[in-house]
């Protein structure tokens, strides 16, 4: 399977408010991207899954990527076999 770039957007409950988020993640399929989003937000903000609402998961092209870390990892992909 090849690694693809996904943008996961939604809302997370911080205190008494729902805050929007958008994550760019590397994954082989959309369900893996959702799991990574739950994991990343849960560990970073100490949130349970019930406090995270995933609204959209879509594959994006390299031109749409905003995070430099993702671009750096993609450039390394040719050196490392997944």
């Amino acid at each position: 399977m090849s690694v693809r770039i996904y943008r996961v957007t939604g809302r997370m409950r911080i205190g008494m408010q729902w805050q929007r988020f958008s994550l760019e993640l590397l994954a082989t399929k959309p369900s893996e991207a959702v799991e990574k989003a739950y994991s990343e937000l849960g560990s970073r903000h100490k949130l349970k899954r019930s406090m995270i609402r995933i609204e959209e998961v879509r594959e994006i092209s390299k031109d749409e990527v905003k995070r430099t870390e993702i671009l750096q990892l993609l450039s390394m992909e040719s050196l490392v076999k997944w």
Side-chain angles (χ1 to χ4, degrees):
M1 285 190 164
S2 63
V3 176
R4 298 181 175 134
I5 312 162
Y6 291 95
R7 181 170 289 140
V8 180
T9 57
R11 295 174 183 264
M12 60 184 168
R13 189 173 178 115
I14 303 290
M16 298 301 288
Q17 298 180 353
W18 288 91
Q19 181 179 344
R20 290 193 159 281
F21 70 85
S22 177
L23 296 173
E24 293 171 349
L25 302 164
L26 293 174
T28 56
K29 54 188 176 180
S31 60
E32 184 181 340
V34 168
E35 286 299 316
K36 285 185 177 188
Y38 279 130
S39 177
E40 192 170 315
L41 291 170
S43 65
R44 190 184 307 168
H45 298 285
K46 306 295 186 233
L47 298 174
K48 295 181 180 179
R49 288 175 177 239
S50 62
M51 301 171 80
I52 301 168
R53 303 278 191 244
I54 306 291
E55 296 172 353
E56 182 183 26
V57 179
R58 69 181 186 96
E59 189 175 342
I60 60 174
S61 67
K62 290 181 182 181
D63 299 333
E64 297 177 79
V65 175
K66 296 177 184 174
R67 288 181 53 192
T68 56
E69 305 91 50
I70 299 293
L71 293 172
Q72 290 172 345
L73 284 172
L74 289 172
S75 68
M76 290 175 50
E77 184 177 354
S78 62
L79 300 175
V80 180
K81 295 284 184 189
W82 291 90

